[in-house]
Each structure stands twice: as structure tokens, then as C-alpha cells.
């Protein structure tokens, strides 16, 4: 709590520091907007959380960056006024602005059918291999009780939350032996999950930068990204915010952990409280009384 004070206790100070800045909100899904559950297909968010995210998104550009497939996380969230990045940021639906980064790394984006949003998928060429890996994994782990494979489109998750301790070693060995035949992929770990991803220079941090760029805010000095996440993969986004020198990386953790976050929240219920306060703060600041009268700061 000393190194990563509560974002609720620090809220007033954080908002004072946000004076004259454009806040952009980034959210992880599992363990942040929804509780971690045994069955990943049942990681539903509450109606209260959905309403809070919807309200925040009416005041600030808001994106959800998840390891899930983009379609699956959109199915859970069911909101149209936010941006979605699935597969740890390798599948992004964003506004169709022409993006030119300083290093020219961004690939072409394809517009959706209505032409009002653009899909950015830097790992497109890996899809055939991902399908093969998926098939091999499903066959290999069939006999391991409690193990399941999730197709996240541009990455694959092997869940072992319900696997017996004595079977974990066998599971890990099977996964690693399959990956030996796919040198373009790497293995990572999340909360009771193994993640298989293409070995490309792209993560949640890159997704955050890409979304800021497509919003036309990439090179602005008055942008304040707020990123809330609980997993190891969120640290990539925390690092980007830290490097920018302004913004709030907020870790969701019930016990101390090594993190690049500046602030913390205990669990999804505290995330809900934070989002409601953020929306209420913005609502108050744009009401008839000026923000300076209420908070002693400019809008």
C-alpha cells in the first residue's frame, strides 16, 4: 500500500493532477471487470459493472484490452460505446483513422462492413498455425481431467484451474512438446492459464499506444491514460504508461505483488467503485457549476 496506494483513497489527488488533461480509460476484463471463476465461459460481469463502464464511456474514450478473443469479450460486455482489443491486443476494433507511427510499423487496417470501424490484426498470418496448434492441444489434453483449451483467435489459452496438482506436470509437458514444432510461438503464464502466442513484438502496451494513436492522441502531452488490470500481461501496458511519464497504471490485487503500477484496487468491487466515482467526478465537472468551484481545479 505504500508503493501502490489505493486508487480510491488517492482519488481526489489523482483528479487534481488530471487538471486540463484528456483522460482515456483502458480496462482488462477477467479479474478486473469480472471475478476470476473456475469455468472461463462463465466469467460474467455484473449488470452494475456494465452500467458503470457504459457511463464512464459516455465521458471518456474507453477500451477493453483482453487476452480473450475480441468477439468473446464483446459478448460478455455487450456495450457498443467502447473499443475492444482481443487476443492481448492482437485484434483491435477501433475508429478508422489513418495511422502513421514514427517508425511506420502499423499495418493496413480493414474497415468493417459499415465502414465506421477499423479492424487491426498484426498476427493475421499466424491463423493457420494457430488452428493446427488448437487441434493438437485439444487431442493431447483430452485425458487430463479439468484441463481445457480456449480459442482466443490469435492466441490459445490452456486453462488448468481445475486440474489436480499431480496432473499439472503432465499437462505442461504435453503443451511444451507440441510447441517445439512451432518455433514462431511462445508460451507464457497467467492466472492458472498457459498462453500460447505468436512471437511478434506486440502486446497490451502496443495496443494501448495504437488505440491512443487512432484516437488522434498518440503525441499529445495532455493525455492521461488510466489502465486497470490484474494480470501479468497488463504489466506491458503499465510499462508504457510509466514511460510516458503521465497516466495511472492501476493493478487489481488482493495481496502484494511485483508490479509497475502506481496505484492499486483490491478486487472487481473496488474497480466498480472507482469507475462510478470517475463518472460522477466528470459529471460534476461538466455540470452548471464549474469544476474549479467543486474541486479547486480547472476542467
Amino acid at each position: 500500500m505504500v508503493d501502490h496506494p489505493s486508487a480510491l483513497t488517492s482519488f481526489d489527488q489523482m483528479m487534481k493532477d488530471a487538471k486540463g488533461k484528456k483522460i482515456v480509460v483502458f480496462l482488462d476484463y477477467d479479474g478486473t471487470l469480472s471475478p476470476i471463476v473456475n469455468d472461463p465461459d462463465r466469467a460474467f460481469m455484473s449488470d452494475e459493472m456494465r452500467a458503470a463502464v457504459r457511463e464512464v464511456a459516455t465521458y471518456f474514450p474507453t477500451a477493453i484490452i483482453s487476452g480473450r478473443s475480441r468477439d468473446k469479450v464483446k459478448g460478455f460486455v455487450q456495450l457498443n460505446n467502447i473499443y475492444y482489443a482481443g487476443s492481448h491486443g492482437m485484434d483491435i476494433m477501433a475508429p478508422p483513422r489513418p495511422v502513421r507511427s514514427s517508425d511506420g510499423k502499423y499495418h493496413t487496417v480493414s474497415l468493417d462492413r459499415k465502414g465506421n470501424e477499423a479492424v487491426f490484426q498484426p498476427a493475421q498470418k499466424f491463423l493457420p498455425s494457430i488452428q493446427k496448434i488448437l487441434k493438437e492441444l485439444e487431442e493431447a489434453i483430452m485425458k487430463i481431467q479439468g484441463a481445457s483449451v480456449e480459442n482466443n483467435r490469435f492466441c490459445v489459452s490452456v486453462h488448468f484451474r481445475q486440474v489436480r496438482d499431480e496432473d499439472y506436470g503432465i499437462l505442461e509437458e504435453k503443451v511444451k512438446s507440441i510447441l517445439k514444432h512451432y518455433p514462431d510461438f511462445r508460451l507464457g503464464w497467467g492466472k492458472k492459464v498457459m498462453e500460447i502466442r505468436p512471437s511478434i513484438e506486440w502486446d497490451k502496451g502496443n495496443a494501448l499506444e495504437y488505440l491512443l494513436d487512432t484516437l488522434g492522441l498518440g503525441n499529445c502531452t495532455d493525455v492521461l491514460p488510466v489502465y486497470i488490470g490484474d494480470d501479468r500481461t497488463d504489466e506491458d501496458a503499465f510499462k508504457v504508461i510509466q514511460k510516458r511519464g503521465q497516466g495511472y497504471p492501476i493493478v487489481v490485487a488482493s495481496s502484494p505483488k511485483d508490479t509497475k503500477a502506481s496505484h492499486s484496487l483490491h478486487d472487481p468491487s473496488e474497480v466498480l467503485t472507482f469507475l462510478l466515482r470517475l463518472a460522477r467526478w466528470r459529471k460534476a465537472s461538466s455540470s452548471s457549476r464549474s469544476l474549479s468551484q467543486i474541486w479547486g481545479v480547472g476542467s
Side-chain angles (χ1 to χ4, degrees):
M1 291 310 293
V2 175
D3 293 337
H4 316 288
S6 162
L8 294 178
T9 313
S10 312
F11 185 83
D12 293 356
Q13 186 57 50
M14 290 164 78
M15 292 306 105
K16 278 185 180 175
D17 294 341
K19 175 184 176 179
K21 303 274 198 305
K22 295 186 182 83
I23 293 175
V24 185
V25 177
F26 298 93
L27 303 162
D28 177 33
Y29 183 75
D30 291 277
T32 299
L33 298 181
S34 75
I36 297 283
V37 292
N38 283 337
D39 180 355
D41 289 334
R42 301 194 62 75
F44 304 120
M45 71 194 294
S46 66
D47 290 338
E48 293 89 344
M49 185 69 89
R50 184 174 292 106
V53 175
R54 183 192 289 116
E55 193 173 7
V56 163
T58 60
Y59 296 115
F60 312 102
T62 302
I64 292 180
I65 305 181
S66 171
R68 304 276 198 146
S69 75
R70 178 165 52 82
D71 288 344
K72 187 168 281 187
V73 81
K74 193 170 184 183
F76 278 138
V77 178
Q78 298 172 13
L79 293 175
N80 293 322
N81 64 337
I82 62 176
Y83 306 115
Y84 293 93
S87 306
H88 298 291
M90 286 186 275
D91 188 5
I92 301 176
M93 183 72 93
R97 289 175 184 255
V99 178
R100 286 190 68 86
S101 65
S102 54
D103 54 11
K105 266 186 187 168
Y106 293 159
H107 309 230
T108 5
V109 291
S110 56
L111 294 184
D112 71 351
R113 276 183 296 244
K114 292 178 190 160
N116 55 7
E117 283 183 316
V119 183
F120 175 64
Q121 297 169 334
Q124 186 80 37
K125 68 174 185 177
F126 295 99
L127 276 178
S129 295
I130 290 168
Q131 290 307 310
K132 285 182 194 165
I133 291 170
L134 202 61
K135 199 161 181 280
E136 288 180 39
L137 280 170
E138 281 169 348
E139 285 170 14
I141 72 155
M142 249 192 311
K143 294 192 174 76
I144 300 177
Q145 197 179 341
S148 66
V149 178
E150 184 178 6
N151 178 0
N152 288 318
R153 187 106 199 266
F154 292 98
C155 52
V156 179
S157 296
V158 179
H159 297 277
F160 55 88
R161 185 169 292 277
Q162 300 189 79
V163 170
R164 291 180 308 186
D165 290 346
E166 57 266 37
D167 291 340
Y168 174 74
I170 303 162
L171 176 65
E172 189 179 353
E173 188 48 50
K174 283 183 183 288
V175 171
K176 285 180 173 175
S177 68
I178 288 170
L179 276 191
K180 277 178 193 163
H181 305 291
Y182 296 92
D184 290 338
F185 288 79
R186 59 192 162 101
L187 181 63
W189 279 263
K191 290 184 174 176
K192 299 285 183 185
V193 64
M194 282 180 257
E195 305 268 16
I196 294 144
R197 291 197 259 169
S199 296
I200 61 168
E201 286 285 316
W202 197 265
D203 54 36
K204 287 186 174 185
N206 300 103
L208 183 150
E209 291 178 314
Y210 179 84
L211 283 160
L212 286 177
D213 278 351
T214 58
L215 290 163
L217 302 172
N219 297 316
C220 298
T221 53
D222 61 347
V223 172
L224 205 73
V226 174
Y227 188 111
I228 308 176
D230 75 311
D231 208 351
R232 201 176 295 185
T233 55
D234 297 310
E235 293 293 330
D236 295 316
F238 294 167
K239 278 182 216 158
V240 165
I241 295 177
Q242 198 181 50
K243 202 167 137 196
R244 286 177 70 92
Q246 57 180 2
Y248 294 118
I250 303 170
V251 69
V252 183
S254 53
S255 55
K257 63 195 286 187
D258 186 27
T259 178
K260 299 276 185 213
S262 60
H263 293 78
S264 64
L265 291 166
H266 194 263
D267 53 26
S269 69
E270 285 202 351
V271 174
L272 174 63
T273 305
F274 181 86
L275 293 176
L276 289 171
R277 284 187 73 179
L278 187 62
R280 203 180 307 134
W281 171 78
R282 188 66 188 86
K283 204 188 290 181
S285 73
S286 54
S287 69
S288 52
R289 286 189 300 158
S290 79
L291 183 61
S292 54
Q293 286 174 306
I294 303 165
W295 295 90
V297 294
S299 59

